[in-house]
Amino acid sequence: MWMLLAIGSAVFAALTSILAKIGIDGVNSNLATAIRTFVVLLMSWGMVFLTNTQKGITDISGKSWLFLILSGLATGASWLCYYRALQMGEASKVVPIDKLSVVITLVLAFVFLHETVSWKSIVGCVLIGAGTLFMVL
């Protein structure tokens, strides 16, 4: 099931990029990010109430609150940078660079989460990095 959800994530992320590139034309990138964020906020809380999981908010630990807030700040910074880059550059170049987050995530997972480093991961990171360079140069 996680694989199908991950594929769904990739498809919707691709749609996000194309729809954003069209929608951001003539709109301040910060304002566009705020509109997108508002829609995501409505959808997220809608799912919480639809699945009746709002009661779990009191069970969240302080550590989880801290890291969820930090994650939210990182997401906001990422979206602000992404929308401005998308406004200034071509989607076919901005998106591959944005997807270097895969390589950065793997490195951070190895360093901070002590996840196993495998040759497949290293080769994959090198190929993604090389592929990104190939696409944007």
Side-chain angles (χ1 to χ4, degrees), residues 4-87:
L4 290 175
L5 291 170
I7 292 169
S9 174
V11 169
F12 287 120
L15 285 171
T16 297
S17 301
I18 300 305
L19 297 171
K21 182 65 178 174
I22 295 167
I24 204 168
D25 187 37
V27 179
N28 176 278
S29 62
N30 295 330
L31 179 59
T33 302
I35 292 168
R36 174 189 181 189
T37 303
F38 181 74
V39 172
V40 171
L41 180 70
L42 289 177
M43 284 184 62
S44 298
W45 280 106
M47 285 303 297
V48 166
F49 286 105
L50 183 69
T51 59
N52 199 33
T53 53
Q54 68 274 12
K55 298 171 197 144
I57 201 165
T58 57
D59 299 331
I60 300 173
S61 71
K63 177 184 175 185
S64 288
W65 273 108
L66 173 65
F67 282 93
L68 289 171
I69 290 167
L70 291 173
S71 174
L73 291 170
T75 298
S78 170
W79 287 0
L80 289 167
C81 291
Y82 178 75
Y83 263 63
R84 186 66 179 136
L86 197 58
Q87 190 171 50

Side-chain angles (χ1 to χ4, degrees), residues 98-114:
D98 176 66
K99 297 311 173 199
L100 279 176
S101 63
V102 172
V103 174
I104 296 166
T105 299
L106 290 172
V107 170
L108 294 175
F110 298 147
V111 172
F112 293 108
L113 302 177
H114 308 291

Side-chain angles (χ1 to χ4, degrees), residues 88-134:
M88 296 170 68
E90 297 175 32
S92 61
K93 295 199 181 335
V94 171
V95 173
I97 294 170
D98 176 66
K99 297 311 173 199
L100 279 176
S101 63
V102 172
V103 174
I104 296 166
T105 299
L106 290 172
V107 170
L108 294 175
F110 298 147
V111 172
F112 293 108
L113 302 177
H114 308 291
E115 292 187 4
T116 306
V117 178
S118 69
W119 283 108
K120 284 192 326 185
S121 297
I122 293 169
V123 170
C125 282
V126 169
L127 289 173
I128 291 170
T132 299
L133 287 174
F134 186 74

